[in-house]
Amino acid sequence: AWQLLSMSELCMSDFDLLPGKASILPSDLILNISFFVVYLALLWLTTKLPMGVLRRVLFLIINLACAALICAAQGDNVTYLNAYTQGLRDLCPYVLLISAIYLATRFLAFGQSWWIAAFLPIALLAIIRYAPASAVLRQEHWIGFSYMAFRLSQLVVIVRNKLTPMPGLLEYLGFAFFAPTLMAGPISSYSTFAASESASDKSITPPLTCFMRVVIGACKVLFFSSVLSRLTYKGLLLDY
C-alpha cells in the first residue's frame, strides 16, 4: 500500500520531452497512464509471492527497469531502442556504486568507523555534483542520487541503533532504486519501507485513499503545474 501511495510522487515528475530529444518515456497522456498502471500491476503481483529471494529479485528487476527508463530520458539518442540501451548502460555503474556503499555499510556500521559509512554517500554526492562529467560514467544521468544519498546515510544510523536489521543486498538495492522515491523523494527511512513491504496494513493506508493521492498528484502535474509555470521567470520574461 505504501508503494501505491508513493506513486503519487512519480506522477509529479516531468515526463515532457525536450526539443530534439528522444526519450523512452512517452509524452502522450494515454501512454503515460499505461506505463504507470503496468508498473503498479507488476509491483502488486510481486506482493502476491511469499517473502523470499524470488520476490525480492523480481521487485528489484522491476524497479531497475523503471530506473533505466528514467535514465534513458536524459539521453540524446534518436530512437527509443538506442535510448533504452544507453539508459541500461548508464544504470550499471550507478548500481555498482550503490553496491559499494552497501558493503561499506555492512562492514562499518557496527564498529568505531560507522561515521565513515554514514558520511560516504554524502561525500560521493558532493563529488558527483561537482566533478567534471565523465564520458564513461555519465553520472549526470544518475537520477535521484541526491535523495538516495541522504536515505542511505540515514540507513546507517538506523541499523547501528538497531531500529531495523541490516538488510541484505537485494533489500538494500530495492530500497535504493524504488522508482517513486528515486525520482521525487521523499527522504523516507528504510524501517518504514521494510515494514510496509513485509506486512502492509490496509487500515493505515486504505486503497481508496492511496488511489486518491495518485489522482491528486496527477492533477497537479497535468493541470496546475502547466498553469503556474506561466508565472515563473522562464514563463514570463524569457522570450522563445
Side-chain angles (χ1 to χ4, degrees):
W2 182 76
Q3 295 166 0
L4 179 61
L5 201 159
S6 297
M7 285 300 294
S8 63
E9 299 288 351
L10 181 60
C11 286
M12 298 175 67
S13 299
D14 185 10
F15 285 91
D16 294 334
L17 301 182
L18 295 176
K21 208 176 205 182
S23 171
I24 197 72
L25 290 175
S27 59
D28 183 80
L29 175 60
I30 296 177
L31 292 179
N32 279 337
I33 295 175
S34 300
F35 165 74
F36 169 74
V37 171
V38 168
Y39 176 79
L40 276 182
L42 291 174
L43 286 184
W44 177 77
L45 288 175
T46 63
T47 64
K48 300 305 177 182
L49 297 173
M51 184 62 70
V53 175
L54 177 60
R55 173 171 168 172
R56 292 192 171 103
V57 167
L58 292 177
F59 180 83
L60 177 59
I61 290 175
I62 292 169
N63 282 284
L64 287 179
C66 187
L69 200 70
I70 299 167
C71 290
Q74 311 305 309
D76 53 1
N77 295 280
V78 295
T79 67
Y80 291 155
L81 180 59
N82 289 341
Y84 193 71
T85 301
Q86 186 60 60
L88 289 172
R89 292 173 182 170
D90 293 343
L91 190 64
C92 287
Y94 196 1
V95 174
L96 290 175
L97 177 66
I98 302 306
S99 300
I101 296 175
Y102 166 78
L103 292 177
T105 301
R106 172 166 285 279
F107 290 109
L108 299 177
F110 299 102
Q112 296 294 327
S113 302
W114 67 270
W115 58 272
I116 297 178
F119 283 100
L120 179 61
I122 309 301
L124 289 173
L125 172 62
I127 293 172
I128 290 172
R129 281 285 177 261
Y130 296 104
S134 169
V136 177
L137 296 178
R138 292 166 59 90
Q139 70 270 26
E140 68 275 11
H141 296 160
W142 293 358
I143 299 299
F145 189 67
S146 298
Y147 292 110
M148 190 185 300
F150 287 98
R151 288 191 288 132
L152 298 184
S153 179
Q154 182 193 44
L155 190 150
V156 176
V157 179
I158 291 175
V159 169
R160 177 175 173 78
N161 291 334
K162 299 181 180 180
L163 299 178
T164 187
M166 177 67 198
L169 180 60
L170 291 175
E171 298 97 313
Y172 190 88
L173 293 177
F175 168 67
F177 288 98
F178 184 47
T181 54
L182 179 68
M183 291 182 63
I187 303 175
S188 56
S189 68
Y190 175 76
S191 55
T192 301
F193 176 85
S196 60
E197 181 193 24
S198 59
S200 60
D201 189 346
K202 291 184 178 180
S203 65
I204 298 176
T205 52
L208 180 59
T209 302
C210 297
F211 177 75
M212 290 307 300
R213 286 285 300 272
V214 173
V215 172
I216 291 171
C219 290
K220 287 180 179 179
V221 71
L222 294 175
F223 301 106
F224 296 118
S225 64
S226 60
V227 173
L228 295 177
S229 66
R230 307 300 179 184
L231 303 178
T232 62
Y233 171 79
K234 180 179 179 181
L236 286 174
L237 301 179
L238 291 185
D239 184 13
Y240 288 97

